[in-house]
């Protein structure tokens, strides 16, 4: 698939991207092998796979935090060198600056880009309200709950208005109800100006409920992309309700029949070779 | 146990110790003194000596000099520690080259340096400041080094993805992290600044609390030695309270330092 450089519809393209790590004993661990994935501008793509299959690795390649050992990465048609400046990244682990208050955490992305502090703060106030934490601006991260911290993280990323949103199991550590609330919040904010989204999760239901496309990865090592489904559910969606729909169940059953084997493989492998994955 | 109760218990400990000291050093038991006054003096004499110093006003000069030496030692040692800690943490090769020498220098008992500093810097305050600096420097150095090294990889990656360049990472990520480690060692490093000053004075000087203690010792004035020790303890506790206040203000963001605040 050769996209023109000028008006490419692809926000993110991974061509045969391969990721390998050198282990301590000089062996090479191939985490992801020849992954091909293309995300259209404005498209919400979820990557689902068993634990340790290299989903996050794929995301780090798209972010430019990791160099692929082979293959190419293109962002809006341009080969990616260095960090992906068009992308906002929501991490799985705690990524807020603990020494900054909620409002400072949100405003920082603008301040370092040269926006005047007063303006940056004012826009940050707006985002604070958008994620429903208007009254919590002066709290430090440790004074907020896990879900509140994720909201701040979301605002921190979105305030820079990135063209691509990379999300690495962002709601993984949250409880089930909070995850659904966060999912709805994400869809609400995303639908305002549809960015390209690459959303990594191990939760198939979450993936179907949120995404336009669901991509399945095989169990690692040498994980590959083994399936790609379009989600035919209408938007706007309410992810509390959507789980009850017939189409949702049909698609879930279909994808799960493929994913199940990989999950079992992944489980067996991870219980056999402890410490092989980096 | 509430605060008042705790305070009463703490006071009780002091009263019992001072009471026993007074008893054993003034009242003979079975015909002999358990604490001979020549070696142990007694609390009343020690107290009288302290009062005399404050009434005459001579103590203020000595306190001021010790305080000034401690502050200088702390400031210079901290600045050096922060600079080198940062530099070594960001340049692993430099750190690797200097590693054995840093360890050697840190293992050296500082007291042996005192005569050298006196030779180099004279009997004035600077030889004492230098001694304090050698103590403070290493504490701050190791903590800042650790602080820069232990910045969370995720927070760092987040900074990068938010568009920070090296300079901005330094200011918004490495610096606050290193500072928090430095402040966590603040009590220790301030304490060592005072130790450096007093030990330096004790080994050779014309003023300061260490000098006062040394002078008293020179004429076997045990009451004077104890009085000097008590004034020194009170002085250190006051400084420590000051440090706690500064720490509370600067480390509000930290869950453990914030303590009772939520």
């Amino acid at each position: 698939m050769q996209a023109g450089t000028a008006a490419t519809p692809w926000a993110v393209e991974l061509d045969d991207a391969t990721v390998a790590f050198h282990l301590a004993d000089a062996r090479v661990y191939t985490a992801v092998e020849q992954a091909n994935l293309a995300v259209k501008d404005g498209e919400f793509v979820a990557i689902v796979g068993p634990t340790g299959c290299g989903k996050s690795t794929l995301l780090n390649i798209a972010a430019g935090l990791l160099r692929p050992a082979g293959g190419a990465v293109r962002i809006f048609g341009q080969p990616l060198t260095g960090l992906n400046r068009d992308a906002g990244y929501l991490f799985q682990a705690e990524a807020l600056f603990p020494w900054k208050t909620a409002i400072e955490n949100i405003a920082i992305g603008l301040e370092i880009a040269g926006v005047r502090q007063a303006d940056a703060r004012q826009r940050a106030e707006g985002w604070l309200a958008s994620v429903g934490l208007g009254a919590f601006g002066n709290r430090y991260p440790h004074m907020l709950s896990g879900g509140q911290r994720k909201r701040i993280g979301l605002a921190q990323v979105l305030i820079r208005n990135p063209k691509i949103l990379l999300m690495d199991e962002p709601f993984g550590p949250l409880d089930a109800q909070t995850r659904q609330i966060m999912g709805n919040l994400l869809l609400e904010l995303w639908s305002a100006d549809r960015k390209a989204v690459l959303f990594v999760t191990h939760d198939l239901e979450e993936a179907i409920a949120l995404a336009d496309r669901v991509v399945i990865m095989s169990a690692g090592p040498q994980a590959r992309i083994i399936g790609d489904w379009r989600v035919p559910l209408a938007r706007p969606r309410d992810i509390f309700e959507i789980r009850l729909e017939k189409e949702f169940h049909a698609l879930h059953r279909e994808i799960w029949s493929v994913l199940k084997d990989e999950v079992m493989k992944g489980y067996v492998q991870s219980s056999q070779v402890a410490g092989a994955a980096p | 146990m509430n605060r008042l109760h705790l305070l009463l218990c703490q006071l009780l400990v002091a009263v019992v110790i001072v009471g026993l000291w007074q008893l054993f050093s003034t009242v003979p038991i079975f015909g002999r003194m358990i604490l001979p006054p020549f070696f142990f003096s007694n609390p009343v004499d020690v107290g009288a000596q302290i009062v005399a110093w404050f009434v005459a006003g001579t103590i203020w000069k000595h306190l001021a000099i010790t305080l000034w030496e401690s502050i200088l030692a702390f400031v210079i040692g901290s600045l050096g520690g922060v600079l080198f800690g940062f530099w070594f943490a960001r340049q692993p090769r430099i750190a690797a080259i200097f590693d054995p020498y840093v360890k050697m220098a840190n293992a050296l008992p500082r007291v042996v340096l005192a005569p050298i500093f006196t030779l180099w810097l004279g009997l004035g305050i600077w030889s004492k400041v230098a001694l304090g600096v050698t103590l403070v420097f290493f504490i701050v150095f190791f903590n800042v080094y650790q602080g820069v090294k232990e910045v969370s990889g995720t927070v760092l990656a987040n900074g990068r993805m938010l568009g920070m360049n090296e300079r901005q990472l330094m200011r918004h990520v490495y610096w606050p992290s290193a500072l928090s480690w430095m402040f966590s060692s603040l009590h220790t490093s301030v304490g060592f600044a005072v130790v450096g000053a007093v030990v330096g004075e004790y080994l050779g000087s014309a003023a300061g609390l260490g000098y006062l203690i040394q002078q008293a010792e020179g004429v076997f004035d045990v009451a004077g030695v104890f009085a000097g020790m008590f004034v020194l303890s009170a002085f250190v506790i006051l400084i420590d309270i000051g440090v706690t206040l500064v720490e509370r203000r600067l480390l509000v963001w930290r869950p453990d330092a914030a303590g009772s605040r939520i």
Side-chain angles (χ1 to χ4, degrees):
Chain A
M1 146 184 55
Q2 231 13 344
T5 46
T8 171
W10 305 110
V12 180
E13 288 172 276
L14 302 180
D15 278 354
D16 290 337
T18 299
V19 189
F21 298 98
H22 290 277
L23 298 181
D25 50 1
R27 281 180 306 163
V28 174
Y29 176 87
T30 309
V32 180
E33 199 165 62
Q34 298 188 320
N36 285 293
L37 178 67
V39 183
K40 260 194 224 126
D41 195 13
E43 193 179 31
F44 196 131
V45 175
I47 303 176
V48 187
T51 321
C53 75
K55 306 176 295 260
S56 308
T57 310
L58 220 52
L59 213 56
N60 285 338
I61 290 179
L65 288 169
L66 209 63
R67 305 249 115 242
V73 185
R74 282 191 299 277
I75 303 299
F76 290 106
Q78 302 295 323
L80 179 63
T81 53
L83 284 184
N84 185 349
R85 289 278 160 229
D86 289 323
Y89 198 128
L90 199 61
F91 293 84
Q92 178 181 16
E94 296 290 343
L96 294 179
F97 305 109
W99 39 80
K100 291 186 186 292
T101 59
I103 195 80
E104 286 167 348
N105 260 294
I106 299 176
I108 186 72
L110 293 180
E111 281 173 25
I112 57 176
V115 176
R116 277 210 358 256
Q117 196 181 34
D119 298 342
R121 287 292 161 89
Q122 203 179 357
R123 281 165 65 186
E125 290 283 353
W127 274 103
L128 199 61
S130 304
V131 294
L133 290 176
F136 294 85
N138 291 324
R139 297 265 184 109
Y140 287 93
H142 82 267
M143 303 169 173
L144 299 166
S145 69
Q148 289 169 330
R149 286 200 288 267
K150 287 293 169 196
R151 284 162 188 259
I152 301 295
L154 196 56
Q156 185 183 51
V157 169
L158 290 176
I159 196 171
R160 295 175 61 242
N161 196 22
K163 293 185 198 142
I164 301 165
L165 205 52
L166 305 171
M167 308 179 90
D168 182 13
E169 300 195 37
F171 312 140
L174 307 179
D175 63 80
Q177 283 85 25
T178 314
R179 289 175 78 147
Q180 299 196 356
I181 294 168
M182 288 301 293
N184 267 344
L185 174 70
L186 174 63
L187 284 186
E188 183 192 317
L189 295 172
W190 173 73
S191 60
D193 60 339
R194 309 207 164 184
K195 303 169 189 309
V197 179
L198 207 48
F199 187 99
V200 164
T201 176
H202 59 258
D203 181 349
L204 181 56
E205 284 194 33
E206 186 178 52
I208 299 174
L210 293 170
D212 296 320
R213 256 170 71 203
V214 175
V215 171
I216 302 295
M217 285 184 78
S218 69
Q222 284 142 43
R224 289 161 168 276
I225 290 176
I226 53 167
D228 193 333
W229 279 267
R230 191 149 288 287
V231 180
L233 302 166
R235 293 189 189 274
R237 299 177 188 166
D238 180 335
I239 62 175
F240 291 107
E241 309 273 316
I242 206 165
R243 284 165 205 248
L244 308 172
E245 286 185 25
K246 242 201 206 121
E247 285 163 295
F248 183 95
H249 286 288
L251 189 60
H252 189 276
R253 202 170 302 127
E254 198 183 322
I255 302 179
W256 180 244
S257 67
V258 175
L259 185 59
K260 190 172 62 184
D261 296 341
E262 296 304 325
V263 169
M264 289 318 292
K265 252 189 258 169
Y267 175 74
V268 170
Q269 269 163 15
S270 65
S271 50
Q272 275 171 354
V273 280
Chain B
M1 201 191 289
N2 62 27
R3 272 187 88 133
L4 189 72
H5 196 162
L6 181 67
L7 196 67
L8 282 175
C9 288
Q10 287 170 335
L11 272 177
L12 190 67
V13 172
V15 168
V16 167
I17 290 176
V18 172
L20 285 177
W21 181 11
Q22 179 70 24
L23 180 76
F24 289 136
S25 58
T26 49
V27 180
I29 292 168
F30 302 120
R32 58 188 284 266
M33 228 52 112
I34 292 180
L35 299 175
F38 180 75
F39 295 111
F40 293 93
S41 185
N42 66 67
V44 173
D45 286 355
V46 171
Q49 177 67 75
I50 295 174
V51 170
W53 278 340
F54 278 96
V55 167
T58 48
I59 192 80
W60 295 115
K61 187 186 97 182
H62 298 292
L63 272 175
I65 283 186
T66 301
L67 181 66
W68 182 228
E69 286 164 354
S70 307
I71 290 173
L72 282 174
F74 173 74
V75 169
I76 296 172
S78 298
L79 277 180
V82 167
L83 279 177
F84 279 90
F86 248 95
W87 188 37
F88 278 34
R90 302 288 286 138
Q91 308 279 341
R93 195 174 297 181
I94 302 269
I97 292 171
F98 282 96
D99 182 62
Y101 302 104
V102 170
K103 286 197 181 123
M104 258 166 74
N106 186 39
L108 195 69
R110 303 315 136 74
V111 180
V112 303
L113 292 174
I116 297 193
F117 287 140
T118 310
L119 273 176
W120 290 348
L121 303 165
L123 284 169
I125 65 165
W126 290 105
S127 54
K128 287 84 202 169
V129 171
L131 196 59
V133 165
T134 61
L135 289 164
V136 173
F137 173 83
F138 285 98
I139 297 163
V140 175
F141 170 80
F142 286 119
N143 274 284
V144 168
Y145 182 79
Q146 198 73 4
V148 174
K149 282 271 168 195
E150 305 234 324
V151 169
S152 142
T154 314
V155 171
L156 207 55
N158 193 27
R160 291 220 168 88
M161 288 308 292
L162 288 171
M164 290 185 189
N165 56 31
E166 278 302 308
R167 201 175 49 81
Q168 286 165 330
L169 281 177
M170 205 64 141
R171 180 170 154 214
H172 294 287
V173 181
Y174 289 117
W175 178 245
S177 174
L179 218 55
S180 81
W181 276 76
M182 191 196 127
F183 276 112
S184 68
S185 66
L186 205 58
H187 290 277
T188 326
S189 51
V190 167
F192 272 110
V194 178
V195 167
V198 172
V199 169
E201 287 163 359
Y202 181 84
L203 292 175
S205 71
L209 283 179
Y211 165 80
L212 217 54
I213 292 172
Q214 199 266 332
Q215 284 299 98
E217 198 189 301
V219 294
F220 295 103
D221 173 12
V222 179
V225 173
F226 276 110
M229 272 162 44
F230 279 113
V231 173
L232 182 61
S233 310
F235 175 72
V236 172
I237 284 179
L238 282 180
I239 289 183
D240 201 65
I241 290 172
V243 170
T244 305
L245 292 178
V246 171
E247 193 177 53
R248 280 224 187 113
R249 268 200 69 76
L250 287 171
L251 292 185
V252 272
W253 58 269
R254 261 212 335 209
D256 47 344
S260 57
R261 308 161 59 110
I262 305 180

